């Protein structure tokens, strides 16, 4: 069995790669950090392949797919992503558009292309890494939350199409709350609640994927929030999220 993992150089993606390696999977790993990719290739050995790519560039996403398309991939892990903190009018537009290209466009392209291949042979797995943020409106991290809403809605629609076709192709969304990775440094925020480990998020996401479940909500509090938010009026929920995000602000 062979998996493509995006964002494999750090955090949740790296933990997923390590977990899959332990389960005996062959790996194709991608990210921008060539040094880390080379190190992982050495550690995993065997048939591990690496491909350096900036997935915020559309042609690079197609290049990664073309690299993989004849290699009998069984599992696509769309994990690469990041967040940007700040009021919508203040955040950097180029950084934000690159984030949308990575969190949404790259995931969209890879999901579509691999789904076509998986459906042809009626087997394969897709693990899309969303976030608890994908259930809500997220003042102060507006476009990040919106990008993860897209990931959940897109994946959910695909899940339903596959279910109606009685397909053997499986799709799961991993929706963690804070995970202890480099995410916060990149986004420029502090944790306001205790994070889970990347290893736990990875193990939980893969467990739900192989069980054929759609949602992977790694803790009791994420399950309560994901269900509970449906019963809270939008304006109140937005105000709560604003306060949570505001508490994450890094004092400078
Ligand atoms: N940590 C959390 O609290 C949390 C919670 C919920 C969901 N998530 C989601 O989990 C996923 C993984 O994040 P993480 O927490 O593990 O953060 P992380 O430690 O910062 O890892 C991010 C990964 O994405 C890759 N990446 C970033 N920009 C890229 C680009 N332009 N092209 C290709 N790869 C790129 C990075 O690799 P290179 O730098 O080598 O390119 C890195 O491997 C993200 O989708 C994030 O939204 C995180």
């Amino acid at each position: 069995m062979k998996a493509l993992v995006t964002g494999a150089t750090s955090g949740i993606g790296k933990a997923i790669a390590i977990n899959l390696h332990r389960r005996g999977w062959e790996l194709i790993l991608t990210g921008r950090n060539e040094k880390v990719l080379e190190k992982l290739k050495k550690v995993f050995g065997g048939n591990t392949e690496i491909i350096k790519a900036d997935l915020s560039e559309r042609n690079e996403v197609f290049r990664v797919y073309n690299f993989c398309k004849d290699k009998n991939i069984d599992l696509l892990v769309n994990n690469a992503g990041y967040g940007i903190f700040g009021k919508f009018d203040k955040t950097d537009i180029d950084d934000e558009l690159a984030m949308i290209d990575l969190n949404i466009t790259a995931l969209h392209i890879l999901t579509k292309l691999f789904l076509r291949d998986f459906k042809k042979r009626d087997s394969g797995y897709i693990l899309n890494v969303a976030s608890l943020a994908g259930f809500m409106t997220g003042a102060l991290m507006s476009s990040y939350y919106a990008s993860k809403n897209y990931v959940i809605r897109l994946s959910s629609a695909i899940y339903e199409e596959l279910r109606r076709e009685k397909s053997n192709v499986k799709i799961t969304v991993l929706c963690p709350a804070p995970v202890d990775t480099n995410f916060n440094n990149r986004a420029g925020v502090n944790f306001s609640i205790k994070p889970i480990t990347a290893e736990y998020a990875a193990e939980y996401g893969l467990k739900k994927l192989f069980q054929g479940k759609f949602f992977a909500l790694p803790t009791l509090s994420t399950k309560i929030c994901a269900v509970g938010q449906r019963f809270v009026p939008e304006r109140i929920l937005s105000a709560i999220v604003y306060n949570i995000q505001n508490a994450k602000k890094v004092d400078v």
Side-chain angles (χ1 to χ4, degrees), residues 13-41:
K14 188 171 166 187
I16 288 173
I18 293 169
N19 192 310
L20 287 169
H21 176 69
R22 281 203 200 108
R23 291 172 192 247
W25 283 67
E26 286 178 18
L27 297 168
I28 301 180
L29 307 175
T30 185
R32 292 165 305 172
N33 191 329
E34 202 167 14
K35 268 194 188 150
V36 177
L37 289 173
E38 294 284 2
K39 205 171 147 194
L40 289 172
K41 184 176 159 65

Side-chain angles (χ1 to χ4, degrees), residues 94-183:
D94 291 327
D95 197 14
E96 206 157 55
L97 291 175
M99 186 201 73
I100 290 167
D101 288 337
L102 178 67
N103 294 12
I104 295 179
T105 310
L107 177 140
H108 181 112
I109 293 169
L110 291 175
T111 299
K112 186 183 277 290
L113 297 178
F114 279 101
L115 182 64
R116 285 178 178 161
D117 295 343
F118 293 168
K119 281 182 73 170
K120 263 183 220 151
R121 57 179 213 239
D122 195 29
S123 74
Y125 295 97
I126 298 171
L127 180 61
N128 283 341
V129 180
S131 168
L132 185 61
F135 293 94
M136 298 163 205
T137 297
L140 302 179
M141 275 190 103
S142 51
S143 41
Y144 175 70
Y145 274 59
S147 75
K148 294 301 182 179
N149 274 267
Y150 183 89
V151 174
I152 293 179
R153 294 295 167 198
L154 178 78
S155 307
S156 179
I158 295 167
Y159 178 88
E160 184 58 17
E161 290 174 8
L162 292 170
R163 193 181 71 80
R164 295 291 174 121
E165 292 164 5
K166 299 193 183 351
S167 171
N168 286 316
V169 179
K170 305 293 176 205
I171 186 165
T172 295
V173 278
L174 175 57
C175 304
V179 185
D180 194 6
T181 66
N182 198 41
F183 180 88

Side-chain angles (χ1 to χ4, degrees), residues 66-111:
N66 287 331
F67 179 80
C68 295
K69 72 174 182 208
D70 297 321
K71 296 183 193 265
N72 289 320
I73 299 289
D74 302 286
L75 163 57
L76 163 67
V77 181
N78 274 312
N79 162 77
Y82 66 94
I84 297 170
F85 180 86
K87 286 188 183 166
F88 186 67
D89 62 313
K90 298 281 193 292
T91 44
D92 181 81
I93 191 162
D94 291 327
D95 197 14
E96 206 157 55
L97 291 175
M99 186 201 73
I100 290 167
D101 288 337
L102 178 67
N103 294 12
I104 295 179
T105 310
L107 177 140
H108 181 112
I109 293 169
L110 291 175
T111 299

